[in-house]
Amino acid sequence: MTVPALRVFGMACVTACLLLYGGVSTWLIIFLSLYSPLCWWILRRYYAPQGWQSKLPLAFYLLDVPVFTMVVYQTGAEKSWFIIILLSRIADQANTNFKKVLLFAHWVAFCFFSMLLVRATASGAHLNWGIELSKTLLLYLWGVYIAFTAKTA
């Protein structure tokens, strides 16, 4: 399978899990159903091995993290077991280089923590910050672990 096909397959799996989970908004399902094919189309149309177009795949991988964070938010935010999908974009980079994996570890932790701040301020949820900081740190440290495994590849 090519990377774009794997991306579409992965997003289809996330969407299928959301449908099984139930209770998520229709707009989220529609958005996820269109997001990966649209990214694939943009990559096929505009990607080039040199110039700014060579950065498009990385841009979409980075964009996937807030999209996955939105899935986590919509499925219970700090209580969601969909948190695991955030690690997928870190793991996707394991065959690249240490710096890129570390970038994704930082980005995942930042997006997750930002979601927690939105949850606490916008909805007035009372979070146990010790637990939530532990989850954020765990996501980050797991990403750093994956980065070090990338060094040995």
Side-chain angles (χ1 to χ4, degrees):
M1 260 186 190
T2 65
V3 171
L6 284 171
R7 286 173 49 83
V8 171
F9 176 74
M11 196 63 71
C13 289
V14 170
T15 305
C17 288
L18 286 172
L19 289 170
L20 289 171
Y21 180 83
V24 295
S25 63
T26 305
W27 71 264
L28 181 60
I29 299 298
I30 293 169
F31 174 78
L32 293 175
S33 299
L34 297 174
Y35 173 72
S36 279
L38 178 63
C39 293
W40 188 355
W41 179 81
I42 291 170
L43 284 170
R44 287 185 53 85
R45 175 131 171 101
Y46 296 106
Y47 175 77
Q50 296 177 335
W52 67 268
Q53 298 97 330
S54 67
K55 303 296 184 203
L56 278 174
L58 177 61
F60 282 121
Y61 278 129
L62 288 167
L63 186 60
D64 287 349
V65 176
V67 169
F68 287 164
T69 306
M70 180 175 55
V71 168
V72 173
Y73 186 82
Q74 291 293 315
T75 56
E78 75 281 0
K79 295 177 180 117
S80 176
W81 53 268
F82 277 84
I83 188 174
I84 194 83
I85 66 173
L86 294 172
L87 291 173
S88 68
R89 283 300 169 250
I90 300 171
D92 284 341
Q93 303 304 312
N95 66 345
T96 60
N97 61 57
F98 178 79
K99 286 183 180 180
K100 195 176 284 186
V101 182
L102 203 55
L103 166 71
F104 276 83
H106 285 83
W107 184 231
V108 162
F110 174 80
C111 288
F112 182 74
F113 187 74
S114 297
M115 179 209 64
L116 294 172
L117 290 176
V118 167
R119 175 92 166 114
T121 56
S123 68
H126 297 285
L127 303 178
N128 180 331
W129 284 104
I131 291 172
E132 301 315 320
L133 289 173
S134 296
K135 289 180 198 174
T136 305
L137 185 60
L138 184 61
L139 282 171
Y140 178 72
L141 292 176
W142 197 255
V144 170
Y145 169 78
I146 295 170
F148 277 103
T149 65
K151 269 190 149 181
T152 62

